[in-house]
Amino acid sequence: MRFTAMTRAQRGKLALTAAALGVGLLASGCGYTNSQQTTARYQASDGIIADLGPLQLRNILIVSAGEDQPGRLIGAVYNSSSQDVTLTVNGAEGSQTEVPVKANSSTLLNESSDEAILSTTGGIPGSLVDVRISEDGTNVSNTVKVPVLDTTLPEYKEYLPAGSTPAPTSASPSPSESEEAAGGDGH
C-alpha cells in the first residue's frame, strides 16, 4: 500500500469541506425536528376564519361599544362558486344582517358601502358571541363564536356603528381625588 502525504493546502481544503458539510447537516436537522410555521393554518389577526359552503370568511369580528349596542361585522367574505350568494348572519335577540357576495368574487365588510350591522351585539367587548351564519347557495349553516371588540384599538374606531355610545375610558384618578376618596384633605 502506498500513502501519499497531504500538503498543508489539501488538509485545509478537506477541513473546510468537512466543516461546510457539518454546518449543512446541522441546519437541515432544524427543519426535521421543528415544523414549518408556513404550513400551519392559523388566525393571523383579531377576527376568526370560517368556511361555509362556497364561502370563506376571513378575519370576521364585531365592533361594538357594548352588549346591548349595535355591532358592525367586519372582515372579508370570499365566494368560490359560479353563482351570487347571500351570507346571512343572525346574532343575539333576533338581530340579523345580510351580505351579498358576487360569484367568484369577494366582499370586504370594512368598506363603508358594505356595512353589515347587527342591531344588538349580545356580548361585551372582549367576549366571544355565538352567531348563526348561513348562505343561500347550498343552504349550509353553522354557529360560530365571533369576537367583539370596541374602540380601545384605534384602528377600529371608524367601524363603530353610527349612534353607538362609546364606553367611557377608565382613567386613573388624580392624586387629589385619591386623597379625598381616602378621607384626606389633599394637603
Side-chain angles (χ1 to χ4, degrees):
M1 244 163 67
R2 183 174 169 206
F3 292 100
T4 56
M6 290 178 100
T7 65
R8 179 175 244 184
Q10 290 173 327
R11 281 189 300 242
K13 286 181 184 177
L14 182 62
L16 282 175
T17 303
L21 182 62
V23 167
L25 288 173
L26 286 173
S28 66
C30 291
Y32 178 73
T33 59
N34 297 322
S35 63
Q36 292 179 316
Q37 184 60 40
T38 56
T39 60
R41 273 184 71 179
Y42 66 97
Q43 296 169 179
S45 189
D46 297 324
I48 62 152
I49 59 173
D51 294 334
L52 184 69
L55 298 180
Q56 293 88 41
L57 287 70
R58 299 296 181 258
N59 196 28
I60 300 295
L61 59 95
I62 300 170
V63 178
S64 176
E67 183 174 11
D68 56 351
Q69 302 244 356
R72 179 172 177 186
L73 195 69
I74 64 170
V77 182
Y78 300 94
N79 180 0
S80 63
S81 74
S82 58
Q83 65 179 350
D84 294 352
V85 176
T86 300
L87 170 70
T88 303
V89 179
N90 294 298
E93 299 176 23
S95 63
Q96 177 178 312
T97 188
E98 292 185 344
V99 178
V101 187
K102 299 271 186 213
N104 295 310
S105 182
S106 64
T107 297
L108 297 177
L109 301 174
N110 304 14
E111 296 176 350
S112 60
S113 60
D114 293 318
E115 287 189 16
I117 307 290
L118 294 168
S119 60
T120 185
T121 304
I124 61 170
S127 67
L128 294 171
V129 295
D130 287 333
V131 295
R132 185 101 179 132
I133 54 174
S134 58
E135 56 84 20
D136 65 352
T138 58
N139 294 320
V140 175
S141 65
N142 196 4
T143 299
V144 294
K145 291 191 176 294
V146 177
V148 177
L149 298 177
D150 59 10
T151 58
T152 301
L153 297 172
E155 59 266 28
Y156 294 123
K157 274 189 177 162
E158 67 182 285
Y159 302 116
L160 192 65
S164 295
T165 309
T169 57
S170 59
S172 20
S174 68
S176 62
E177 289 173 343
S178 296
E179 289 174 9
E180 288 174 14
D185 63 1
H187 296 286

